[in-house]
Amino acid sequence: FCTSDDTKVDRRGQIIGYAAETSAKQHRTHVFSASITGKFARLFRWDRSGTAVTKRFDYREQPALLLDFFRRYSRMSRTARGYDPTVRLATPEEEASTLAALAKEGYEDRIDPKYPTTVLEIYDPVEKEKKYFYVGRPEVEPSSLVGRATKAYIAVDAKTLAVVFLKDCWRVTSPGMEKEGDTLRKLNKAGVRHIPKLLCSGDVGGDNAQTTKSYNLIKKAWRIGVRELTPHTHYRQAVNVVGKTALEITSSRQLVQVIHHAFIAHRDAFVLCRILHRDVSAGNILIDRDGGGILNDWDMSKDIGTLVARQHDRTGTWLYMSARVLKNPKKPHEVQDDLESFIHVLIYVALIYTPLDMVGDNNLRDLITNLFYEATRLHDGTYVGGNWKESGFFEHRVPVQVLFHCEPVQRLVNDLVTYCRDWLNYCS
């Protein structure tokens, strides 16, 4: 099952794709499935940490195995089958209220009849209160089966009918990992600028929180997998800011402004609260309704006094990680890595969404692919990159090969690339 034969790789990918799509489109804690190929079958249980899969068996010679699985499955409750019990379909009256509230705030374009209106529950242990929110089509939907599996919604508060931003994810529950809501409370209390205001947050299920089960199987004698698994807990939070991502800028001026505002938020958090964001990306920098910037998604943030590594994987979004983090997966994440990520966000968005000319025979597609998507798989399955980013700073590849029509952006990029080059020279 785990061989690298092309046919089996494709088959595995198809099986994984079904489970990933089911988990993305439905409100699920886990998914069961059966795969039948010819005379052989396997049974699966999928969650956001990983997958438990049986040995292959001949269902013609051992029909009881397959029959017993479906017999048991047919008698399970919806919760045991993997449906989230904290979610229900909205009534016609609730759906009408949701549509009216969204239309009133100018979000008619977010209404999609293919997605039914559902009601999500958030229990906040600090406020000791359950709150309910109406949601429809997610703004962000996970493509991967494992991981945080973030879904983001423009939601409506069931009590006040205020339009809010709701995040549904599977947070990492490794020792020392703080909940994003607790971090936002600290930042809000300290007066950090250009960040969302927390409305409520909590683990789904409260004291009986929904957690992944695959992680509990890693020490079983029958396990043949070698990859590290990460435990996750289902988590939701609501904040007051409904924004667009930095990828939706309307001008180069706005691009620089929203990144500048996010930079201010990052600096405030670092100076006032000793908190490092560690996942600066175009998707985590939002544009508010006034055109300003918001630094969002603080779930991977860390107190700079915490020296112990909390995860076995590096932290961040690959496209925007610093060159040194990409080249060395075990490198501790420092403030300089976040600052470099801001520069990568600026260059990436500017290359794609602002007018420019390429110099000579240079190709924009190749430049973007090499700078931001470079990845080499090592023998242990680890991916590394960053060589093109590093050499790009030393050779001033972007300002030399690219001429932005906006001259202030050209000068800014040139200055920032110079700063990065000097920092890498200092580190070498």
Side-chain angles (χ1 to χ4, degrees):
F1 183 72
C2 295
T3 61
S4 57
D5 173 82
D6 288 347
T7 301
K8 290 189 176 182
V9 169
D10 290 342
R11 191 173 297 152
R12 284 202 305 271
Q14 187 177 22
I15 295 170
I16 293 169
Y18 294 147
E21 190 71 1
T22 300
S23 300
K25 297 300 183 187
Q26 301 177 6
H27 295 280
R28 289 280 197 154
T29 57
H30 56 276
V31 174
F32 289 100
S33 67
S35 172
I36 299 176
T37 306
K39 63 180 181 179
F40 295 107
R42 293 181 188 272
L43 307 177
F44 299 81
R45 184 194 179 279
W46 316 79
D47 64 28
R48 295 303 185 180
S49 284
T51 308
V53 54
T54 67
K55 290 182 177 180
R56 184 181 72 169
F57 61 92
D58 188 327
Y59 64 88
R60 296 183 303 179
E61 295 180 0
Q62 297 176 286
L65 288 177
L66 200 57
L67 292 172
D68 193 42
F69 168 77
F70 285 116
R71 179 184 65 84
R72 290 171 181 267
Y73 187 83
S74 69
R75 297 184 179 185
M76 294 167 75
S77 66
R78 283 180 56 84
T79 300
R81 291 182 184 183
Y83 292 96
D84 187 345
T86 68
V87 179
R88 65 171 176 82
L89 284 173
T91 65
E93 293 77 14
E94 290 172 329
E95 184 169 21
S97 298
T98 303
L99 300 181
L102 291 173
K104 181 180 178 181
E105 295 296 323
Y107 293 110
E108 298 96 331
D109 59 331
R110 298 310 205 259
I111 299 171
D112 190 335
K114 292 185 294 185
Y115 288 84
T117 302
T118 53
V119 185
L120 304 189
E121 171 191 301
I122 298 181
Y123 174 73
D124 191 317
V126 175
E127 303 293 335
K128 298 191 184 323
E129 179 184 6
K130 286 184 180 180
K131 294 186 178 181
Y132 298 91
F133 298 87
Y134 305 135
V135 302
R137 185 192 73 194
E139 298 297 298
V140 175
E141 202 171 68
S143 57
S144 174
L145 179 66
V146 297
R148 289 179 287 168
T150 300
K151 297 179 183 178
Y153 299 91
I154 295 178
V156 175
D157 188 315
K159 185 175 182 179
T160 66
L161 295 183
V163 176
V164 303
F165 188 79
L166 189 146
K167 179 178 179 178
D168 179 300
C169 67
W170 288 79
R171 67 180 184 87
V172 176
T173 47
S174 300
M177 293 292 294
E178 191 164 4
K179 298 176 184 178
E180 184 180 6
D182 295 340
T183 299
L184 277 176
R185 279 193 176 91
K186 288 181 184 178
L187 300 177
N188 289 154
K189 186 176 180 180
V192 174
R193 295 167 288 176
H194 303 298
I195 63 169
K197 179 183 177 182
L198 180 71
L199 301 176
C200 61
S201 66
D203 290 337
V204 178
D207 293 336
N208 297 311
Q210 298 171 1
T211 59
T212 52
K213 308 302 181 187
S214 296
Y215 178 78
N216 300 329
L217 304 175
I218 59 176
K219 296 187 183 301
K220 295 293 184 180
W222 46 260
R223 186 193 179 210
I224 62 171
V226 296
R227 290 291 301 273
E228 291 280 353
L229 300 186
T230 302
H232 293 267
T233 298
H234 200 182
Y235 182 78
R236 293 191 187 118
Q237 71 176 31
V239 297
N240 67 327
V241 174
V242 179
K244 302 175 181 179
T245 71
L247 299 174
E248 300 177 78
I249 52 107
T250 57
S251 67
S252 54
R253 180 184 181 88
Q254 186 183 55
L255 170 62
V256 174
Q257 176 176 284
V258 298
I259 293 178
H260 179 230
H261 286 173
F263 184 86
I264 291 172
H266 188 277
R267 181 186 181 280
D268 281 357
F270 187 78
V271 173
L272 300 176
C273 302
R274 295 171 53 83
I275 289 175
L276 191 60
H277 188 278
R278 303 199 315 151
D279 190 16
V280 174
S281 70
N284 290 342
I285 298 176
L286 301 182
I287 307 169
D288 64 24
R289 302 198 72 172
D290 298 322
I294 298 290
L295 186 55
N296 195 36
D297 279 350
W298 292 82
D299 49 347
M300 289 291 104
S301 64
K302 185 177 182 179
D303 189 297
I304 59 175
T306 304
L307 301 178
V308 179
R310 304 176 302 178
Q311 298 186 79
H312 50 80
D313 291 325
R314 54 164 78 87
T315 301
T317 302
W318 187 272
L319 275 68
Y320 312 104
M321 286 183 188
S322 73
R324 296 175 72 223
V325 167
L326 290 173
K327 294 181 71 173
N328 182 6
K330 301 299 182 183
K331 176 193 174 301
H333 200 107
E334 302 171 280
V335 64
Q336 291 85 355
D337 298 307
D338 270 9
L339 300 185
E340 184 180 326
S341 292
F342 278 109
I343 299 173
H344 292 312
V345 171
L346 172 65
I347 293 174
Y348 181 84
V349 179
L351 286 175
I352 296 180
Y353 294 100
T354 66
L356 56 84
D357 293 314
M358 297 298 295
V359 177
D361 296 330
N362 295 297
N363 180 279
L364 179 59
R365 179 187 294 273
D366 291 342
L367 178 63
I368 292 173
T369 301
N370 291 329
L371 276 177
F372 298 101
Y373 294 92
E374 175 201 357
T376 302
R377 189 176 189 271
L378 304 181
H379 67 278
D380 62 354
T382 303
Y383 284 88
V384 295
N387 291 313
W388 261 82
K389 282 182 176 177
E390 185 177 74
S391 64
F393 289 139
F394 284 116
E395 299 172 15
H396 275 227
R397 188 171 284 127
V398 170
V400 169
Q401 296 184 10
V402 179
L403 291 177
F404 294 104
H405 290 189
C406 178
E407 189 175 331
V409 169
Q410 186 79 20
R411 292 198 305 268
L412 178 61
V413 169
N414 185 70
D415 290 344
L416 294 175
V417 167
T418 301
Y419 296 149
C420 282
R421 181 201 63 194
D422 293 344
W423 166 247
L424 291 174
N425 270 327
Y426 173 81
C427 294
S428 60

mmCIF file of all heavy atoms in Angstrom, residues 122-145:
data_model
loop_
_atom_site.group_PDB
_atom_site.id
_atom_site.type_symbol
_atom_site.label_atom_id
_atom_site.label_comp_id
_atom_site.label_asym_id
_atom_site.label_seq_id
_atom_site.Cartn_x
_atom_site.Cartn_y
_atom_site.Cartn_z
ATOM 1 N N ILE A 122 -20.160 28.088 19.537
ATOM 2 C CA ILE A 122 -18.874 28.371 20.182
ATOM 3 C C ILE A 122 -19.119 28.507 21.675
ATOM 4 O O ILE A 122 -19.915 29.354 22.106
ATOM 5 C CB ILE A 122 -18.222 29.662 19.654
ATOM 6 C CG1 ILE A 122 -17.913 29.556 18.159
ATOM 7 C CG2 ILE A 122 -16.933 29.970 20.434
ATOM 8 C CD1 ILE A 122 -17.250 30.806 17.579
ATOM 9 N N TYR A 123 -18.435 27.679 22.455
ATOM 10 C CA TYR A 123 -18.491 27.824 23.918
ATOM 11 C C TYR A 123 -17.199 28.478 24.388
ATOM 12 O O TYR A 123 -16.114 27.947 24.182
ATOM 13 C CB TYR A 123 -18.670 26.475 24.615
ATOM 14 C CG TYR A 123 -18.589 26.600 26.133
ATOM 15 C CD1 TYR A 123 -19.630 27.186 26.849
ATOM 16 C CD2 TYR A 123 -17.455 26.186 26.827
ATOM 17 C CE1 TYR A 123 -19.557 27.346 28.220
ATOM 18 C CE2 TYR A 123 -17.370 26.327 28.209
ATOM 19 C CZ TYR A 123 -18.422 26.914 28.903
ATOM 20 O OH TYR A 123 -18.331 27.076 30.266
ATOM 21 N N ASP A 124 -17.338 29.668 24.991
ATOM 22 C CA ASP A 124 -16.171 30.405 25.477
ATOM 23 C C ASP A 124 -16.012 30.135 26.969
ATOM 24 O O ASP A 124 -16.853 30.559 27.775
ATOM 25 C CB ASP A 124 -16.359 31.906 25.228
ATOM 26 C CG ASP A 124 -15.083 32.698 25.455
ATOM 27 O OD1 ASP A 124 -14.389 32.422 26.457
ATOM 28 O OD2 ASP A 124 -14.763 33.589 24.648
ATOM 29 N N PRO A 125 -14.940 29.429 27.381
ATOM 30 C CA PRO A 125 -14.770 29.102 28.801
ATOM 31 C C PRO A 125 -14.490 30.320 29.671
ATOM 32 O O PRO A 125 -14.718 30.278 30.883
ATOM 33 C CB PRO A 125 -13.577 28.130 28.797
ATOM 34 C CG PRO A 125 -12.823 28.446 27.549
ATOM 35 C CD PRO A 125 -13.846 28.881 26.545
ATOM 36 N N VAL A 126 -13.966 31.394 29.065
ATOM 37 C CA VAL A 126 -13.709 32.603 29.849
ATOM 38 C C VAL A 126 -15.026 33.316 30.153
ATOM 39 O O VAL A 126 -15.298 33.711 31.283
ATOM 40 C CB VAL A 126 -12.746 33.542 29.092
ATOM 41 C CG1 VAL A 126 -12.565 34.850 29.855
ATOM 42 C CG2 VAL A 126 -11.394 32.859 28.899
ATOM 43 N N GLU A 127 -15.856 33.475 29.119
ATOM 44 C CA GLU A 127 -17.159 34.119 29.305
ATOM 45 C C GLU A 127 -18.196 33.161 29.895
ATOM 46 O O GLU A 127 -19.261 33.590 30.336
ATOM 47 C CB GLU A 127 -17.666 34.645 27.956
ATOM 48 C CG GLU A 127 -16.719 35.618 27.264
ATOM 49 C CD GLU A 127 -16.581 36.927 28.010
ATOM 50 O OE1 GLU A 127 -17.521 37.287 28.767
ATOM 51 O OE2 GLU A 127 -15.536 37.580 27.851
ATOM 52 N N LYS A 128 -17.873 31.848 29.856
ATOM 53 C CA LYS A 128 -18.787 30.794 30.331
ATOM 54 C C LYS A 128 -20.161 30.929 29.664
ATOM 55 O O LYS A 128 -21.210 30.944 30.311
ATOM 56 C CB LYS A 128 -18.934 30.836 31.858
ATOM 57 C CG LYS A 128 -17.625 30.586 32.601
ATOM 58 C CD LYS A 128 -17.864 30.385 34.073
ATOM 59 C CE LYS A 128 -16.585 30.232 34.868
ATOM 60 N NZ LYS A 128 -15.508 29.505 34.254
ATOM 61 N N GLU A 129 -20.120 31.031 28.332
ATOM 62 C CA GLU A 129 -21.346 31.248 27.572
ATOM 63 C C GLU A 129 -21.244 30.582 26.209
ATOM 64 O O GLU A 129 -20.180 30.574 25.596
ATOM 65 C CB GLU A 129 -21.571 32.761 27.397
ATOM 66 C CG GLU A 129 -22.801 33.127 26.604
ATOM 67 C CD GLU A 129 -22.926 34.622 26.374
ATOM 68 O OE1 GLU A 129 -21.989 35.370 26.745
ATOM 69 O OE2 GLU A 129 -23.963 35.041 25.817
ATOM 70 N N LYS A 130 -22.360 30.026 25.766
ATOM 71 C CA LYS A 130 -22.438 29.486 24.417
ATOM 72 C C LYS A 130 -23.005 30.557 23.490
ATOM 73 O O LYS A 130 -24.002 31.200 23.809
ATOM 74 C CB LYS A 130 -23.341 28.249 24.367
ATOM 75 C CG LYS A 130 -22.739 26.990 24.953
ATOM 76 C CD LYS A 130 -23.675 25.809 24.774
ATOM 77 C CE LYS A 130 -23.066 24.538 25.360
ATOM 78 N NZ LYS A 130 -23.966 23.362 25.205
ATOM 79 N N LYS A 131 -22.343 30.708 22.343
ATOM 80 C CA LYS A 131 -22.838 31.646 21.340
ATOM 81 C C LYS A 131 -23.030 30.894 20.033
ATOM 82 O O LYS A 131 -22.335 29.910 19.769
ATOM 83 C CB LYS A 131 -21.871 32.809 21.166
ATOM 84 C CG LYS A 131 -21.766 33.703 22.391
ATOM 85 C CD LYS A 131 -20.905 34.939 22.118
ATOM 86 C CE LYS A 131 -20.856 35.844 23.334
ATOM 87 N NZ LYS A 131 -20.056 37.067 23.089
ATOM 88 N N TYR A 132 -23.958 31.383 19.233
ATOM 89 C CA TYR A 132 -24.303 30.696 17.989
ATOM 90 C C TYR A 132 -24.169 31.662 16.814
ATOM 91 O O TYR A 132 -24.478 32.860 16.920
ATOM 92 C CB TYR A 132 -25.721 30.128 18.066
ATOM 93 C CG TYR A 132 -25.862 29.093 19.153
ATOM 94 C CD1 TYR A 132 -26.260 29.469 20.445
ATOM 95 C CD2 TYR A 132 -25.574 27.755 18.908
ATOM 96 C CE1 TYR A 132 -26.380 28.531 21.452
ATOM 97 C CE2 TYR A 132 -25.691 26.804 19.912
ATOM 98 C CZ TYR A 132 -26.080 27.199 21.173
ATOM 99 O OH TYR A 132 -26.173 26.251 22.170
ATOM 100 N N PHE A 133 -23.705 31.100 15.687
ATOM 101 C CA PHE A 133 -23.446 31.907 14.494
ATOM 102 C C PHE A 133 -23.966 31.197 13.260
ATOM 103 O O PHE A 133 -23.853 29.971 13.140
ATOM 104 C CB PHE A 133 -21.942 32.158 14.344
ATOM 105 C CG PHE A 133 -21.340 32.918 15.492
ATOM 106 C CD1 PHE A 133 -20.881 32.254 16.614
ATOM 107 C CD2 PHE A 133 -21.253 34.303 15.450
ATOM 108 C CE1 PHE A 133 -20.332 32.949 17.683
ATOM 109 C CE2 PHE A 133 -20.709 35.011 16.511
ATOM 110 C CZ PHE A 133 -20.245 34.329 17.628
ATOM 111 N N TYR A 134 -24.537 31.987 12.339
ATOM 112 C CA TYR A 134 -25.023 31.456 11.072
ATOM 113 C C TYR A 134 -23.905 31.577 10.034
ATOM 114 O O TYR A 134 -23.283 32.634 9.893
ATOM 115 C CB TYR A 134 -26.236 32.241 10.584
ATOM 116 C CG TYR A 134 -27.381 32.327 11.567
ATOM 117 C CD1 TYR A 134 -28.043 33.537 11.800
ATOM 118 C CD2 TYR A 134 -27.810 31.197 12.270
ATOM 119 C CE1 TYR A 134 -29.103 33.625 12.694
ATOM 120 C CE2 TYR A 134 -28.863 31.273 13.170
ATOM 121 C CZ TYR A 134 -29.497 32.489 13.381
ATOM 122 O OH TYR A 134 -30.537 32.560 14.272
ATOM 123 N N VAL A 135 -23.651 30.500 9.309
ATOM 124 C CA VAL A 135 -22.609 30.520 8.267
ATOM 125 C C VAL A 135 -23.154 29.855 7.006
ATOM 126 O O VAL A 135 -24.099 29.064 7.050
ATOM 127 C CB VAL A 135 -21.326 29.796 8.722
ATOM 128 C CG1 VAL A 135 -20.760 30.420 9.993
ATOM 129 C CG2 VAL A 135 -21.561 28.310 8.922
ATOM 130 N N GLY A 136 -22.520 30.178 5.895
ATOM 131 C CA GLY A 136 -22.877 29.566 4.614
ATOM 132 C C GLY A 136 -21.638 29.061 3.917
ATOM 133 O O GLY A 136 -20.939 28.193 4.414
ATOM 134 N N ARG A 137 -21.325 29.656 2.770
ATOM 135 C CA ARG A 137 -20.141 29.249 2.017
ATOM 136 C C ARG A 137 -18.872 29.706 2.727
ATOM 137 O O ARG A 137 -18.743 30.872 3.102
ATOM 138 C CB ARG A 137 -20.179 29.888 0.622
ATOM 139 C CG ARG A 137 -19.065 29.434 -0.300
ATOM 140 C CD ARG A 137 -18.998 30.324 -1.528
ATOM 141 N NE ARG A 137 -18.444 31.644 -1.217
ATOM 142 C CZ ARG A 137 -18.504 32.697 -2.017
ATOM 143 N NH1 ARG A 137 -19.131 32.611 -3.165
ATOM 144 N NH2 ARG A 137 -17.963 33.855 -1.662
ATOM 145 N N PRO A 138 -17.896 28.823 2.927
ATOM 146 C CA PRO A 138 -16.636 29.249 3.547
ATOM 147 C C PRO A 138 -15.810 30.117 2.605
ATOM 148 O O PRO A 138 -15.783 29.880 1.400
ATOM 149 C CB PRO A 138 -15.918 27.927 3.867
ATOM 150 C CG PRO A 138 -16.513 26.937 2.909
ATOM 151 C CD PRO A 138 -17.923 27.369 2.663
ATOM 152 N N GLU A 139 -15.164 31.132 3.162
ATOM 153 C CA GLU A 139 -14.253 31.971 2.384
ATOM 154 C C GLU A 139 -12.951 31.228 2.119
ATOM 155 O O GLU A 139 -12.298 31.435 1.098
ATOM 156 C CB GLU A 139 -13.956 33.267 3.143
ATOM 157 C CG GLU A 139 -15.164 34.144 3.390
ATOM 158 C CD GLU A 139 -15.773 34.634 2.089
ATOM 159 O OE1 GLU A 139 -15.082 35.351 1.353
ATOM 160 O OE2 GLU A 139 -16.931 34.283 1.819
ATOM 161 N N VAL A 140 -12.565 30.400 3.071
ATOM 162 C CA VAL A 140 -11.359 29.580 2.962
ATOM 163 C C VAL A 140 -11.742 28.145 3.286
ATOM 164 O O VAL A 140 -12.481 27.892 4.237
ATOM 165 C CB VAL A 140 -10.257 30.057 3.931
ATOM 166 C CG1 VAL A 140 -9.056 29.117 3.888
ATOM 167 C CG2 VAL A 140 -9.839 31.474 3.608
ATOM 168 N N GLU A 141 -11.247 27.210 2.491
ATOM 169 C CA GLU A 141 -11.583 25.800 2.650
ATOM 170 C C GLU A 141 -10.293 24.981 2.551
ATOM 171 O O GLU A 141 -9.457 25.252 1.674
ATOM 172 C CB GLU A 141 -12.548 25.391 1.543
ATOM 173 C CG GLU A 141 -13.386 24.183 1.834
ATOM 174 C CD GLU A 141 -14.458 24.024 0.758
ATOM 175 O OE1 GLU A 141 -14.108 23.724 -0.401
ATOM 176 O OE2 GLU A 141 -15.646 24.213 1.071
ATOM 177 N N PRO A 142 -10.082 24.003 3.428
ATOM 178 C CA PRO A 142 -8.822 23.252 3.389
ATOM 179 C C PRO A 142 -8.736 22.327 2.184
ATOM 180 O O PRO A 142 -9.711 21.675 1.811
ATOM 181 C CB PRO A 142 -8.850 22.449 4.699
ATOM 182 C CG PRO A 142 -10.306 22.284 4.999
ATOM 183 C CD PRO A 142 -10.968 23.540 4.515
ATOM 184 N N SER A 143 -7.563 22.278 1.571
ATOM 185 C CA SER A 143 -7.337 21.355 0.463
ATOM 186 C C SER A 143 -6.658 20.077 0.939
ATOM 187 O O SER A 143 -6.745 19.037 0.289
ATOM 188 C CB SER A 143 -6.470 22.024 -0.616
ATOM 189 O OG SER A 143 -5.242 22.456 -0.064
ATOM 190 N N SER A 144 -5.977 20.168 2.085
ATOM 191 C CA SER A 144 -5.276 19.010 2.633
ATOM 192 C C SER A 144 -6.136 18.310 3.669
ATOM 193 O O SER A 144 -6.909 18.952 4.390
ATOM 194 C CB SER A 144 -3.953 19.441 3.258
ATOM 195 O OG SER A 144 -3.313 18.356 3.909
ATOM 196 N N LEU A 145 -5.994 17.008 3.756
ATOM 197 C CA LEU A 145 -6.760 16.249 4.744
ATOM 198 C C LEU A 145 -6.215 16.463 6.148
ATOM 199 O O LEU A 145 -6.975 16.618 7.102
ATOM 200 C CB LEU A 145 -6.740 14.758 4.399
ATOM 201 C CG LEU A 145 -7.495 13.838 5.361
ATOM 202 C CD1 LEU A 145 -8.986 14.122 5.310
ATOM 203 C CD2 LEU A 145 -7.219 12.383 5.020
#
